[in-house]
Amino acid sequence: MERSEAYGFSAAISGAFLLSCLLFSALNREQRAPYMDEAFHVPQAQAYCEGLFQQWDPMITTLPGLYLMSVGIVKPAVWLFGWSGSVVCSTGMLRFINLLFSVGNFYLLYLLLCKIHHKNKAESHSSIPEIQIQQTDTLRKENKVIVFGRLAQVVSFFWWTMCI
């Protein structure tokens, strides 16, 4: 990643996070109670926060991954910051976890765009001498290792959370 690209990405993700935080704050002030499908999901996530992993609401048709991830984020934060009571798995805290995931999605979108852009850039330089093409192939192989390494981490973490 070039320096200007890194600055641009940092500015974009910071701006997206700031805007998301402002929207989060405004929404939480106006709508404190669970809204729409949160009426099903918040109690389920709160049950998971209490360690009741066998409890399941039959109205929910999605996999429990987000609830498990919420527990995986909230429980260390409780220990680290010394939180207790209603703050721990409140509607606001669970919404904040979704905000963190939205920033993560922004980063994943950036990685996908970089991968697509890099592929198009490599295809457009097909008339470059063979030595430079070999260097590009080496870089592509290194990028694949990095991408597959990240993918392996995500899959491993997903399976780990499913086994809890």
Side-chain angles (χ1 to χ4, degrees):
M1 182 180 341
E2 294 177 21
R3 177 169 270 173
S4 62
E5 185 180 344
Y7 289 144
F9 174 70
S10 295
I13 201 162
S14 297
F17 185 69
L18 177 64
L19 180 63
S20 295
C21 285
L22 292 172
L23 290 172
F24 168 79
S25 178
L27 175 72
N28 246 11
R29 265 187 265 116
E30 293 297 320
Q31 184 65 42
R32 293 203 180 273
Y35 178 71
M36 290 180 69
D37 63 337
E38 286 180 343
F40 302 107
H41 295 290
V42 168
Q44 185 65 49
Q46 289 171 339
Y48 272 48
C49 280
E50 294 171 8
L52 304 173
F53 297 109
Q54 300 301 320
Q55 181 178 332
W56 188 257
D57 183 350
M59 296 296 291
I60 297 174
T61 58
T62 57
L63 296 173
L66 184 59
Y67 312 126
L68 292 170
M69 293 293 289
S70 297
V71 171
I73 293 171
V74 168
K75 288 297 182 178
V78 167
W79 177 77
L80 188 65
F81 299 118
W83 293 335
S84 63
S86 62
V87 173
V88 175
C89 271
S90 65
T91 304
M93 180 62 75
L94 295 169
R95 287 177 182 163
F96 183 73
I97 290 169
N98 282 328
L99 184 139
L100 295 176
F101 276 110
S102 73
V103 173
N105 284 335
F106 188 85
Y107 179 67
L108 290 175
L109 177 63
Y110 169 75
L111 290 176
L112 287 171
L113 289 173
C114 283
K115 186 161 181 71
I116 291 169
H117 179 69
H118 180 69
K119 182 179 179 181
N120 290 341
K121 185 189 269 187
E123 288 174 359
S124 68
H125 295 305
S126 60
S127 61
I128 297 174
E130 189 174 334
I131 296 171
Q132 291 180 354
I133 291 173
Q134 288 175 350
Q135 289 174 348
T136 303
D137 288 341
T138 304
L139 289 174
R140 245 187 259 156
K141 288 176 187 173
E142 290 173 0
N143 285 339
K144 285 180 184 177
V145 169
I146 291 169
V147 169
F148 286 122
R150 288 182 185 152
L151 181 62
Q153 288 174 340
V154 169
V155 170
S156 298
F157 185 72
F158 172 75
W159 284 113
W160 176 77
T161 56
M162 295 303 289
C163 294
I164 292 178

